[in-house]
Amino acid sequence: MEYANYYLSTNKKWFWDFAASLSKYIGQEVHVEDNGLVFPPSVAEGRYEFYELSDGLSLLLVDCVFYQPIKLSRAAVRGTDYYKIFFNAGDAHLIVEKNSGRKVDTGMDLSEAVLFTSNSIPVNFVAPVGSRVRDVELIFHRSWAHKHIPGILPEEAVIVKDIKDGKAVQFTATIDLNCLDLVNEILGAKMDTPSARMYVEGLALQLFSSFIRNEIVEQIGENFIYSNEYKRIAAFVEKLEENLDMRLPSLEEAAIECNMGWSKFIALFIAYYK
């Protein structure tokens, strides 16, 4: 078996199916315990964990060493419902084989340490033996993106338009220092309490917003037009600055004041004030 096959989804069933595929691939049992894969000691050690953060958004975090070569293959499916943003935070030579046939070493430098891909385009990963693999992967459904990427941008913002239209997308990008810091913070976080998971979800939303904003700026520059939601946040912040003697509101209160949910408030606030 040349590759361990998997598919893309935001629910935990894919993770169980992935464990079964890995077991078949290596000829030894890989099982799921709590939210992580448990490898035979001769195969790998470390964290390989999956978390459903909210409806339509999930997080995969990897911080482990493989002692056997691991090749992963995700075949294309009809339709584009899911997207993944892969952030390599280590220097391991993790090879991505793109649909074009080009092989990218995401550990060489920061310029191609991010892979954005939809489930309608195939991609292969080759993990190195003996090196520490450290990455974070955000997996989201297109419906989630519709809620969290509001209609804020002109048509030139290709990445936003493509996601909303359900188009097939695959490209590599630079990981900037802000995204790298967020990835490292996520990898260093414990997920043992509900409050810890909420904290990590906030980091994941910041990471998503920061990446999307970077791509927008790359495509159309800094001077893009913000929506009414951004204007509400800006007005709220201006109100706070003009009334410094006021009690600082909680996150939930700030979100209500801006007429939006707390997760959207975090994402838009980070994108606006990064």
Side-chain angles (χ1 to χ4, degrees):
M1 187 176 181
E2 186 178 1
Y3 287 92
N5 298 310
Y6 71 103
Y7 57 92
L8 205 56
S9 178
T10 56
N11 64 69
K12 200 171 183 178
K13 182 181 182 302
W14 88 265
F15 199 52
W16 288 83
D17 292 342
F18 179 52
S21 182
L22 280 173
S23 298
K24 185 177 179 181
Y25 173 73
I26 65 177
Q28 299 182 64
E29 183 186 5
V30 176
H31 66 276
V32 178
E33 187 174 299
D34 295 327
N35 289 84
L37 295 183
V38 179
F39 293 95
S42 62
V43 175
E45 63 177 356
R47 300 175 71 190
Y48 204 117
E49 300 171 356
F50 175 78
Y51 298 93
E52 297 176 83
L53 298 179
S54 61
D55 186 21
L57 174 67
S58 294
L59 171 72
L60 182 70
L61 62 88
V62 180
D63 189 355
C64 68
V65 177
F66 293 99
Y67 301 120
Q68 293 185 17
I70 300 293
K71 296 182 177 182
L72 307 178
S73 178
R74 180 174 57 75
V77 299
R78 181 175 296 179
T80 299
D81 294 320
Y82 294 99
Y83 295 85
K84 177 168 73 173
I85 314 176
F86 164 89
F87 299 87
N88 188 4
D91 55 5
H93 295 287
L94 191 61
I95 306 300
V96 174
E97 299 176 357
K98 297 171 65 177
N99 184 50
S100 63
R102 179 170 174 257
K103 294 183 180 181
V104 178
D105 184 346
T106 62
M108 283 293 290
D109 54 48
L110 300 182
S111 65
E112 291 189 298
V114 182
L115 173 70
F116 188 96
T117 182
S118 57
N119 66 331
S120 54
I121 301 180
V123 64
N124 296 331
F125 288 88
V126 181
V129 176
S131 298
R132 186 182 179 195
V133 176
R134 301 181 73 254
D135 66 73
V136 163
E137 302 175 31
L138 297 180
I139 305 168
F140 62 93
H141 193 274
R142 188 159 60 95
S143 62
W144 180 90
H146 272 273
K147 295 177 183 177
H148 290 81
I149 309 180
I152 61 175
L153 302 160
E155 290 296 310
E156 304 95 285
V158 177
I159 185 172
V160 174
K161 189 174 188 302
D162 285 350
I163 293 172
K164 288 190 171 185
D165 292 345
K167 290 188 177 180
V169 181
Q170 187 179 88
F171 62 88
T172 53
T174 300
I175 184 169
D176 72 350
L177 294 181
N178 181 61
C179 286
L180 188 58
D181 286 343
L182 288 167
V183 169
N184 283 321
E185 195 167 351
I186 291 171
L187 287 170
K190 295 182 178 179
M191 304 283 278
D192 51 353
T193 65
S195 60
R197 293 199 184 190
M198 184 176 292
Y199 168 70
V200 170
E201 181 177 353
L203 293 176
L205 289 169
Q206 291 181 47
L207 181 59
F208 176 84
S209 297
S210 184
F211 171 77
I212 293 294
R213 186 182 188 280
N214 288 344
E215 289 307 304
I216 292 167
V217 170
E218 180 73 20
Q219 291 171 6
I220 63 176
E222 290 279 2
N223 299 318
F224 53 83
I225 300 172
Y226 294 104
S227 70
N228 288 331
E229 291 169 314
Y230 280 106
K231 293 176 182 177
R232 289 202 298 270
I233 292 176
F236 173 71
V237 171
E238 183 177 353
K239 178 182 175 182
L240 291 179
E241 291 174 342
E242 292 174 352
N243 299 273
L244 296 178
D245 57 336
M246 290 176 56
R247 177 184 67 86
L248 287 177
S250 66
L251 176 61
E252 290 77 10
E253 290 170 338
I256 291 171
E257 179 77 15
C258 295
N259 194 28
M260 63 187 73
W262 73 272
S263 61
K264 178 180 281 188
F265 175 81
I266 291 174
L268 295 183
F269 187 93
I270 293 299
Y272 189 76
Y273 288 102
K274 173 180 176 292

